[in-house]
Amino acid sequence: MTDARLAARLADEAGRLLLRLRGAPGFRTPDEAREMGRRGDAEANALILRGLAGERPGDAVLSEESADDPARLSAGRVWIVDPLDGTREYGIGRPDWTVHVALWKAGEGITDAAVAEPDRGWVIATDEKSEKTVEMPGKAVRILVSGTRPPEFAQKVADDVGGELVPMGSAGAKAMAVVKGEADAYLHAGGQYEWDSAAPVGVARSAGLHASRIDGSELVYNRPSPYLPDLLICRSALADPLLRAIARARN
């Protein structure tokens, strides 16, 4: 099994487990939703870790839901995992949550990845051809942002490029919306970690999209601190206009 197929299989299996655990969507109290998210994080993480231990026992793992092992810093292959991206959305029964599985290789970066959107029945991996994002003439540039913590300068960026801001849940859901052509860009500057973006960036780049920090610098993974606070994923033709607009909005 190739690394990309393994990532896709594990993301899909974790997504199916999360759907079974949650059951039918419906109203839950805030405490119930938090508990559902906690259980989902833990059980999906355990499933993915078991799968990686069985299929790639020599590889290191960096997961949001596991203690960080510094041995990963000297490893040649590191799986970067977010077993449930969008815990809040999952817990309250919304569909915009995802599962992330990505492989980082020393000297190469993110080489193989998959993002599952279980409520939509989709898994998109780096070894699959995705739909090309098509520019719609005359339509405003659709820029996805966090529904709870959009960048404070996001509206200035949207105004600069003749765009509109569209709030959405998890990082993976926003990135995949750009991959599928449902939006033109995803802008984030409210703080993230490597597991939030590794798999979405891998899939986006395999689809021919631009992915970088908001200052245009490279997204670097498997660092001593996994904090990676900002991100821009967009159609390649929009990269320069958006990066210039971001620079102007931040000054």
Side-chain angles (χ1 to χ4, degrees):
M1 182 181 296
T2 66
D3 291 322
R5 282 298 88 204
L6 178 59
R9 191 195 83 188
L10 293 176
D12 182 53
E13 289 178 355
R16 292 175 185 274
L17 178 150
L18 288 162
L19 288 174
R20 292 194 299 272
L21 179 64
R22 188 188 63 185
F27 175 77
R28 294 185 180 87
T29 67
D31 286 344
E32 290 171 337
R34 281 192 291 272
E35 176 60 18
M36 181 63 65
R38 187 198 65 77
R39 288 184 58 197
D41 273 323
E43 295 194 23
N45 190 58
L47 182 152
I48 293 170
L49 293 185
R50 286 195 301 270
L52 291 174
E55 296 288 345
R56 302 290 191 272
D59 293 355
V61 179
L62 171 63
S63 172
E64 180 180 17
E65 300 303 323
S66 299
D68 190 3
D69 183 353
R72 68 177 172 82
L73 298 174
S74 58
R77 290 166 52 95
V78 181
W79 292 88
I80 303 177
V81 173
D82 191 342
L84 174 51
D85 183 59
T87 305
R88 172 182 171 274
E89 288 79 10
Y90 170 78
I92 62 177
R94 281 174 43 172
D96 47 345
W97 55 277
T98 50
V99 179
H100 303 174
V101 182
L103 175 63
W104 173 92
K105 294 181 183 177
E108 300 181 59
I110 303 300
T111 59
D112 303 271
V115 176
E117 292 185 89
D119 263 319
R120 303 182 77 173
W122 293 338
V123 181
I124 304 179
T126 49
D127 63 347
E128 298 171 320
K129 289 185 178 180
S130 302
E131 295 180 14
K132 295 295 183 182
T133 305
V134 179
E135 184 176 0
M136 302 295 289
K139 293 195 69 173
V141 174
R142 298 152 294 174
I143 303 173
L144 298 175
V145 293
S146 169
T148 56
R149 48 195 175 104
E152 61 181 11
F153 55 84
Q155 188 60 59
K156 290 183 179 179
V157 173
D159 293 342
D160 196 332
V161 299
E164 60 180 355
L165 299 181
V166 181
M168 187 179 285
S170 81
K174 290 191 281 287
M176 294 307 99
V178 181
V179 169
K180 295 192 294 283
E182 298 169 353
D184 302 293
Y186 164 33
L187 173 61
H188 184 80
Q192 282 186 343
Y193 291 85
E194 291 186 15
W195 46 75
D196 292 305
S197 66
V201 164
V203 172
R205 285 179 170 165
S206 74
L209 298 175
H210 168 90
S212 71
R213 299 284 302 273
I214 60 172
D215 63 359
S217 61
E218 184 66 22
L219 292 153
V220 181
Y221 295 91
N222 197 36
R223 300 293 298 273
S225 169
Y227 188 60
L228 192 56
D230 53 67
L231 172 68
L232 173 66
I233 293 175
C234 64
R235 292 190 288 106
S236 57
L238 276 176
D240 287 343
L242 281 171
L243 289 169
R244 288 195 295 268
I246 292 168
R248 286 190 289 267
R250 296 176 70 201
N251 289 335

